[in-house]
Amino acid sequence: MKLVHLIFATVIALTAFYIKLDNPNTVVFLYIVVLAFFYAFGTFNNEPNISHISMILVIVTLVEHVTFAYGLVNLGQLGDNFLIIGTIVFGLQILINLLAVLLFMFRVQISRLFSSSSKIILTDFDGLFHWLFIAAGFVNVLALVENALRNALGWHSLTFIYDTYEIYGYALMAIACGLLLTMLILKVKNRQLT
């Protein structure tokens, strides 16, 4: 089996596993455990790029999870104005996505603030991570538009993004893990060649 097939299978399996769990708290916990593994690998093998990318993903995940899972933002109850609540929720999601894009666009500069390692460089993966959050932002914009159409115009049957929203999030988490796994494998292979 080629390496690319193994990584692709890993991403699909992780996505399916996260969907099967269908519990955001458990999925976030497992995702952070996986990111902690990559952080530990990067730290113990003197690979600051892997460590710092993992840490940024943990920070973004925790900001998002704490904001929504612990009631910092009202997710609404029966009888609430879901146009306003949806706009706030998806608007905050878009802001978190923008924060993540900025963190990854300036990841090297941010990493150099915390480490003086000469190994901190712009990797081929830095651009992929910010595109991952651009894709997440696009999904949130679609969710915002769908929320407005459903709640302001009464198109109550328009629920495609609403019904599949968690699946997109789980898939993006799995893709992030796949990208980190690819970085890790390439670092190990490059060491074996030298």
Side-chain angles (χ1 to χ4, degrees):
M1 179 182 280
K2 289 185 176 181
L3 178 62
V4 70
H5 296 135
L6 175 68
I7 293 167
F8 188 66
T10 302
V11 168
I12 291 173
L14 265 176
T15 303
F17 180 65
Y18 290 159
I19 292 168
K20 182 71 176 162
L21 284 175
D22 196 29
N23 182 332
N25 291 327
T26 305
V27 170
V28 167
F29 173 76
L30 291 174
Y31 179 59
I32 289 175
V33 168
V34 171
L35 293 176
F37 165 77
F38 289 115
Y39 179 81
F41 172 86
T43 301
F44 293 128
N45 290 289
N46 195 21
E47 295 294 343
N49 296 311
I50 293 174
S51 294
H52 294 174
I53 288 171
S54 300
M55 187 53 63
I56 290 172
L57 289 169
V58 166
I59 290 168
V60 170
T61 301
L62 286 176
V63 166
E64 179 180 21
H65 187 68
V66 167
T67 300
F68 295 106
Y70 294 103
L72 296 178
V73 173
N74 177 14
L75 297 178
Q77 304 203 2
L78 197 58
D80 288 343
N81 185 339
F82 286 107
L83 176 61
I84 293 171
I85 291 170
T87 301
I88 291 169
V89 168
F90 296 123
L92 281 172
Q93 289 280 25
I94 292 167
L95 289 176
I96 291 169
N97 295 142
L98 288 174
L99 169 70
V101 168
L102 289 172
L103 288 173
F104 279 107
M105 286 178 69
F106 297 104
R107 201 264 319 157
V108 173
Q109 293 84 346
I110 293 168
S111 292
R112 288 185 179 151
L113 289 174
F114 297 101
S115 174
S116 60
S117 174
S118 62
K119 289 187 166 187
I120 296 174
I121 59 169
L122 183 66
T123 69
D124 294 333
F125 293 90
D126 285 298
L128 296 175
F129 281 104
H130 84 260
W131 277 106
L132 191 64
F133 284 98
I134 289 171
F138 180 71
V139 170
N140 284 311
V141 167
L142 290 176
L144 187 67
V145 169
E146 182 183 85
N147 178 64
L149 292 173
R150 189 174 58 250
N151 292 302
L153 299 179
W155 296 5
H156 298 291
S157 62
L158 183 63
T159 61
F160 179 74
I161 302 295
Y162 180 80
D163 293 340
T164 58
Y165 188 77
E166 283 183 348
I167 294 171
Y168 294 125
Y170 296 154
L172 292 172
M173 287 179 182
I175 292 169
C177 291
L179 290 172
L180 282 168
L181 178 63
T182 305
M183 283 183 78
L184 183 145
I185 291 170
L186 290 176
K187 290 295 180 185
V188 170
K189 274 191 162 191
N190 286 340
R191 273 204 199 126
Q192 290 174 351
L193 295 175
T194 57

